[in-house]
Amino acid sequence: SYARVLRAEGIRPGDRIAIYMPMIPETAAVMLAAARIGAVHCVVFGGFGWEALRERIADSGSRVVLTASEGRRGGRAVPLKAVVDRAVAGLSSVERVLVVRHGDTPVAMTESRDRWMADAERESSAVD
């Protein structure tokens, strides 16, 4: 479950996370998981650019950002993960970026920071 993933990432009640995802079922699941463990979650509209996203991540002090590889707006693919990469550059509060694979956009992953949500789910369920 996404709650198990967030707990495995060290998220505890009162910790802050940012959610920058398109309108896909995983978005609702992530919000419910955050609420379940008591994490304060800042949902950022997927149409915002990197500057607006950066302000919200910095203002909230989010430790984890959840996003998708891409979203769709007006029939076009929007590279959400690339927007997150630009937004979190140099932000010391962000420890992890969890990425839901959505669409075909190639995604650059920063090894020490980024994880595919599917991999994190597999690893967290193997611990139980």
Side-chain angles (χ1 to χ4, degrees):
S1 78
Y2 291 146
R4 184 177 19 237
V5 169
L6 292 174
R7 283 193 297 266
E9 292 296 337
I11 299 299
R12 301 291 177 253
D15 286 344
R16 293 165 308 280
I17 66 172
I19 302 170
Y20 182 69
M21 296 177 68
M23 295 301 292
I24 57 176
E26 291 87 342
T27 304
V30 165
M31 288 187 289
L32 290 169
R36 178 178 182 187
I37 64 173
V40 178
H41 50 288
C42 173
V43 180
V44 182
F45 172 56
F48 283 170
W50 72 270
E51 299 97 340
L53 176 60
R54 182 182 181 86
E55 286 177 14
R56 284 151 181 82
I57 293 169
D59 287 348
S60 67
S62 294
R63 293 180 45 217
V64 172
V65 177
L66 294 107
T67 192
S69 51
E70 75 176 32
R72 307 278 313 163
R73 295 204 60 80
R76 294 185 333 230
V78 178
L80 296 177
K81 172 61 171 60
V83 173
V84 169
D85 288 343
R86 194 161 179 200
V88 302
L91 288 181
S92 60
S93 67
V94 177
E95 299 168 8
R96 178 74 70 201
V97 174
L98 293 169
V99 184
V100 172
R101 190 178 307 274
H102 183 73
D104 299 325
T105 298
V107 176
M109 300 290 274
T110 300
E111 188 174 332
S112 61
R113 183 195 68 201
D114 302 344
R115 292 188 75 196
W116 289 107
M117 182 64 88
D119 294 342
E121 280 184 282
R122 273 192 300 280
E123 291 172 20
S124 69
S125 65
V127 173
D128 289 341

